[in-house]
Amino acid sequence: MTIPLSRLISQTATKPLLAAILLSVAGAQGQSPGPDLQPHWKEASKLLIREANNGFTDAAKRDSQNRESRFGKAITLLELQPKTRSNVELAADLLDELAAEVPADKITIPARYYRARIEQVHRFEPDPAKAQEMFTALYRDHPEHPLAQAGLVKAATIDIYTSERDPQALALELAEYRTLAATLTFPPAKRDLYLGLAAAEARYFGESERSLNDLLAADRIGIVQSQARASTWVRIAEVARKTGRTDIARRYYEMFLEKFPRDKRHYMVLGNWRAECGMRSRCWWMNTSEPIRTSKSSRWPSRSAFGRTGW
């Protein structure tokens, strides 16, 4: 059964290696029959990297034409400990071979993606410019592929944070990336590009309506990992408060307080939420003599306390 790439990434958002391995399994489905590699993928998914690498290496020796076994070997070489230059170089060579053998199949595209990742993060002396070039080329050749769109986000990040340009040129470039983000079809890539644009906007120009809109766009797409979602909600609320969008600020404060009552930012958020209510006098529970009911897990008013005037 084929597993959707978007589901694989969303389920493994906090485990980059596992996401990479699962992506490769999904990408390899539908290929010509070869050795049974599922046990080795399962080992890799359990972070039994050396065992998985041994299995892929043996399978590649038995059938040197099987592309999936060589791809699995390359991916696991990058994660073997201790990390060595020779393993990184061997993985790069394997991925180059795979990409050169077939112009485009379900192994070639992941191979090109992870080849660019080697230049970005795996080499002892990373080469961001080369990684950006490789990610951009992959997107140019396969703009609809999920990994190509994920690579585009990485290329954009490298471009924004490593290139020197005047503020006006940077503002225009961020606007161009926003236009590009709207065209992406792979939700995780689209979300991450919006989050990156919001961060860049805040860093170079300060919080603004533009960064708020980027954050809201990312949240509408969906943030699976709970801590990342909590942080995004807090940030949306704070940016909305600073830019005068108190309606959005209150809504996201309340969402955060209900969903994450034990988060360490709880009392900070609660204080800001109360300040917004006090300034605007629109919060039902501050304008009633009825006793406030609180949830067992927190000291802020429970959802039921808002009655019909709630969220």
Side-chain angles (χ1 to χ4, degrees), residues 226 229-230 233-234 237 249-263 265-267 269-270 273 293-307 310-311:
S226 60
R229 184 165 68 253
W233 285 1
V234 171
R250 285 196 303 274
R251 176 157 54 91
Y252 274 87
Y253 283 143
E254 291 165 358
M255 287 166 55
F256 174 86
L257 290 167
E258 180 187 27
K259 183 68 176 179
F260 304 102
R262 294 182 175 84
D263 190 281
R265 293 162 293 191
H266 179 91
Y267 287 105
V269 171
L270 179 58
W273 177 69
R293 298 184 294 276
T294 60
S295 65
K296 295 180 180 179
S297 59
S298 67
R299 297 181 180 179
W300 81 290
S302 65
R303 185 165 184 154
S304 61
F306 288 85
W311 320 325

Side-chain angles (χ1 to χ4, degrees), residues 139 143 149-150 152-153 179-187 189-191 193:
Y139 178 74
Q149 294 189 14
L152 174 68
V153 176
T179 300
L180 185 58
T183 69
L184 298 183
T185 56
F186 184 44
K190 189 169 190 169
R191 174 202 63 210
L193 184 51

Side-chain angles (χ1 to χ4, degrees), residues 125-147:
E125 295 84 23
D127 189 343
K130 187 173 182 179
Q132 180 186 349
E133 179 183 345
M134 297 174 80
F135 282 130
T136 302
L138 178 60
Y139 178 74
R140 183 179 60 246
D141 295 342
H142 307 283
E144 299 300 320
H145 195 280
L147 278 180

Side-chain angles (χ1 to χ4, degrees), residues 39-277:
H40 310 317
W41 288 121
K42 290 180 180 179
E43 288 172 339
S45 72
K46 298 175 183 177
L47 302 184
L48 299 173
I49 304 302
R50 187 164 298 279
E51 292 84 347
N53 179 258
N54 290 338
F56 286 123
T57 300
D58 291 342
K61 288 179 180 178
R62 291 192 300 270
D63 181 3
S64 62
Q65 299 304 309
N66 184 269
R67 289 166 58 75
E68 185 183 348
S69 60
R70 286 183 287 152
F71 179 63
K73 177 181 177 180
I75 292 297
T76 50
L77 275 172
L78 294 173
E79 300 298 334
L80 278 179
Q81 297 298 323
K83 183 176 181 179
T84 65
R85 292 178 185 271
S86 60
N87 281 345
V88 174
E89 290 298 334
L90 179 55
D93 290 344
L94 285 168
L95 294 174
D96 282 336
E97 291 173 4
L98 289 166
E101 287 173 355
V102 181
D105 71 356
K106 292 182 179 180
I107 291 293
T108 298
I109 295 174
R112 290 180 62 182
Y113 174 86
Y114 292 115
R115 180 63 182 83
R117 286 288 287 166
I118 287 177
E119 300 300 333
Q120 183 187 18
V121 298
H122 289 291
R123 285 204 186 278
F124 284 77
E125 295 84 23
D127 189 343
K130 187 173 182 179
Q132 180 186 349
E133 179 183 345
M134 297 174 80
F135 282 130
T136 302
L138 178 60
Y139 178 74
R140 183 179 60 246
D141 295 342
H142 307 283
E144 299 300 320
H145 195 280
L147 278 180
Q149 294 189 14
L152 174 68
V153 176
K154 298 185 184 304
T157 302
I158 295 170
D159 181 34
I160 292 169
Y161 287 100
T162 62
S163 302
E164 294 185 3
R165 57 179 69 80
D166 63 80
Q168 184 176 5
L170 178 58
L172 290 174
E173 186 163 14
L174 293 180
E176 291 175 359
Y177 276 125
R178 288 189 178 95
T179 300
L180 185 58
T183 69
L184 298 183
T185 56
F186 184 44
K190 189 169 190 169
R191 174 202 63 210
D192 290 348
L193 184 51
Y194 276 122
L195 289 173
L197 291 171
E201 182 76 30
R203 174 173 178 172
Y204 293 111
F205 302 104
E207 304 289 12
S208 65
E209 283 280 347
R210 290 187 297 273
S211 57
L212 176 60
N213 289 335
D214 289 335
L215 290 169
L216 289 170
D219 185 54
R220 283 193 294 270
I221 294 168
I223 301 174
V224 176
Q225 206 276 332
S226 60
Q227 284 303 308
R229 184 165 68 253
S231 296
T232 301
W233 285 1
V234 171
R235 191 168 169 214
I236 289 174
E238 288 297 302
V239 176
R241 179 175 64 86
K242 293 174 183 177
T243 55
R245 295 298 307 273
T246 54
D247 55 328
I248 295 176
R250 285 196 303 274
R251 176 157 54 91
Y252 274 87
Y253 283 143
E254 291 165 358
M255 287 166 55
F256 174 86
L257 290 167
E258 180 187 27
K259 183 68 176 179
F260 304 102
R262 294 182 175 84
D263 190 281
K264 62 183 179 181
R265 293 162 293 191
H266 179 91
Y267 287 105
M268 179 274 290
V269 171
L270 179 58
N272 289 343
W273 177 69
R274 284 172 170 165
E276 288 300 318
C277 289

